[in-house]
Amino acid sequence: MKRIGILNSGGDCPGLNAVIHGVVGAATKLGWEVIGFRDGFEGLLPPGDYMVLDTNRTVGIMKMGGTILGTTNKGHFVAKIGKGDVMGVPPEIVAKARSTMELLEIGALIVVGGDGSLTTALQLYREGFPVIGVPKTIDNDLQATAMTFGFDSAVATVVDALDRLHTTATSHKRVIVLEVMGRHAGWIALYGGIGGGADVILLPEIPFKMEHVAKAVKRRDARGQLSTLIVVAEGAKLESGEQVSVKSTEGEDRLGGVGDRVAKLVEELTEKETRACTLGHLQRGGAPTSLDRILGTRFGVKAVNLIEEGQFGRMVSYQQYHVGAVPIEEAVNQLRLVDPSGEVVKTARAVGISFGDD
Ligand code: F6P
């Protein structure tokens, strides 16, 4: 009997349990056993911290947010910090993980993760581990897959928030700035902003000027539209080029705070009452959308198919409505960012949304 190990690493993300559910369902049908390592790669440290996953254990988990395995974006296996500084996992840690794999007779390891975790997965693969990658992140910033699960759920939360902010902004004739997640990519802000009817969207990929943002607010006022909703991605850069972040003593600084800064500047430049709201981890929590449940299931089943075919070192990938696979290294070489002259940005501009650049 083949025994598969699965772990998820990095930030949690709606749809993780759907992947686990899919993996366990497909593997069980093939007569394989699945064990889930707890708290990301940390579960691989000897003697192994894991739970046996069978279909009794995974009943009903698909609709649950978070992950039944627990996760971390810290620990012994961090191989990449920020946009690109690859450090590598120390050899003694790799050796420990190898001994756990051998002890537990793991024939294949499914790693569900974003950019950082897949960088670790790639290193382990290059060092001989039978690894399959599954792309996960609400940020949707992974190359080599058109979409990651979790993104749609995050966007749905942004849209819901904007619907709510719309009624209060209109009642008070205010400007409201909503800061959303996404790290260095503006996908959540762009899709959430369009779906939620934002008037201004500020992205890391499109440099903006506050005078243009203020102009957009004043133009609306002149038309009698006395409230304005502005969505700003946490990674958007101020005119000085600064990305606003919270200092961290361990690892990467956390992005956050640009919403407050933009709100203050808008108030100064327009003299309109302005409020800022940061959506934060609400975007990561809660039940996955139906799209993310289905995508997660498809990814999980595909990962098991790849193991069956012995296609290690590959990552499940979604392209043109089809779930296929690509080498893991294609996914982690660089971040997938919003194309400033792409169709979605053009669509937004066509319906009058300002990006603060004209
Ligand atoms: O990568 C997912 C993400 O939610 C980013 O959008 C955000 O910048 C970061 O994780 C937040 O991380 P943490 O949960 O460590 O605060």
Side-chain angles (χ1 to χ4, degrees):
M1 185 199 249
K2 189 169 263 182
R3 183 175 290 153
I4 299 178
I6 178 170
L7 63 85
N8 49 243
S9 173
D12 71 337
C13 174
L16 275 171
N17 287 322
V19 176
I20 296 167
H21 183 265
V23 165
V24 171
T28 305
K29 247 190 137 184
L30 290 169
W32 299 348
E33 193 178 272
V34 183
I35 68 171
F37 290 101
R38 290 198 179 89
D39 298 337
F41 292 98
E42 296 298 293
L44 283 173
L45 292 174
D49 184 8
Y50 62 92
M51 60 170 92
V52 175
L53 296 171
D54 57 21
T55 50
N56 285 335
R57 182 65 192 80
T58 56
V59 149
I61 66 167
M62 190 165 56
K63 60 177 178 293
M64 290 163 46
T67 162
I68 60 166
L69 295 177
T71 190
T72 179
N73 50 13
K74 300 195 172 58
H76 298 83
F77 290 81
V78 174
K80 191 176 196 179
I81 294 224
K83 265 184 181 171
D85 301 342
V86 177
M87 319 177 305
V89 181
E92 64 276 15
I93 299 296
V94 174
K96 284 183 177 176
R98 196 188 305 280
S99 73
T100 303
M101 293 279 288
E102 284 167 6
L103 181 75
L104 299 175
E105 296 177 342
I106 306 292
L109 180 66
I110 298 175
V111 175
V112 191
D115 182 44
S117 312
L118 289 171
T119 302
T120 299
L122 180 60
Q123 181 184 342
L124 294 184
Y125 169 67
R126 286 180 173 151
E127 303 209 23
F129 288 62
V131 170
I132 298 289
V134 175
K136 164 239 69 159
T137 167
I138 62 165
D139 304 334
N140 206 28
D141 60 354
L142 276 175
Q143 278 294 349
T145 185
M147 209 199 294
T148 51
F149 68 86
F151 172 63
D152 187 62
S153 304
V155 168
T157 302
V158 173
V159 169
D160 177 61
L162 284 170
D163 286 350
R164 290 166 192 273
L165 293 175
H166 188 248
T167 57
T168 173
T170 313
S171 304
H172 286 268
K173 302 172 190 59
R174 282 174 173 162
V175 179
I176 299 193
V177 179
L178 178 67
E179 179 184 308
V180 303
M181 282 185 168
R183 272 204 316 170
H184 304 290
W187 295 107
I188 296 176
L190 179 62
Y191 277 62
I194 294 173
D199 308 299
V200 179
I201 301 177
L202 304 177
L203 306 177
E205 295 89 344
I206 303 182
F208 61 89
K209 284 200 172 359
M210 283 312 302
E211 69 175 269
H212 294 314
V213 176
K215 246 195 272 165
V217 173
K218 287 178 185 164
R219 268 199 308 266
R220 288 178 55 75
D221 264 18
R223 287 200 298 264
Q225 295 160 352
L226 302 180
S227 64
T228 296
L229 289 182
I230 300 176
V231 174
V232 57
E234 63 180 359
K237 300 176 191 84
L238 295 171
E239 277 176 56
S240 56
E242 181 197 352
Q243 273 184 319
V244 187
S245 60
V246 183
K247 284 270 162 268
S248 163
T249 44
E250 23 172 286
E252 202 177 344
D253 288 350
R254 261 183 300 119
L255 290 170
V258 69
D260 282 324
R261 300 277 286 272
V262 167
K264 194 164 171 288
L265 292 167
V266 168
E267 192 160 73
E268 277 167 24
L269 292 168
T270 64
E271 294 176 2
K272 275 188 77 82
E273 206 179 4
T274 304
R275 297 286 187 268
C277 172
T278 301
L279 206 42
H281 290 80
L282 289 173
Q283 294 157 99
R284 287 238 301 264
T289 58
S290 50
L291 192 150
D292 282 337
R293 296 179 199 198
I294 296 163
L295 198 59
T297 303
R298 292 171 73 187
F299 280 10
V301 170
K302 182 68 183 179
V304 173
N305 293 158
L306 291 173
I307 294 170
E308 209 181 352
E309 293 161 9
Q311 293 203 46
F312 297 111
R314 295 178 77 77
M315 183 195 81
V316 173
S317 154
Y318 185 67
Q319 301 288 349
Q320 304 193 331
Y321 303 102
H322 180 77
V323 176
V326 294
I328 295 176
E329 59 211 278
E330 277 185 25
V332 297
N333 275 345
Q334 63 182 86
L335 293 180
R336 192 172 74 88
L337 300 175
V338 171
D339 176 1
S341 49
E343 180 261 329
V344 185
V345 171
K346 281 187 182 147
T347 299
R349 290 192 197 276
V351 294
I353 295 173
S354 163
F355 287 88
D357 58 345
D358 63 5

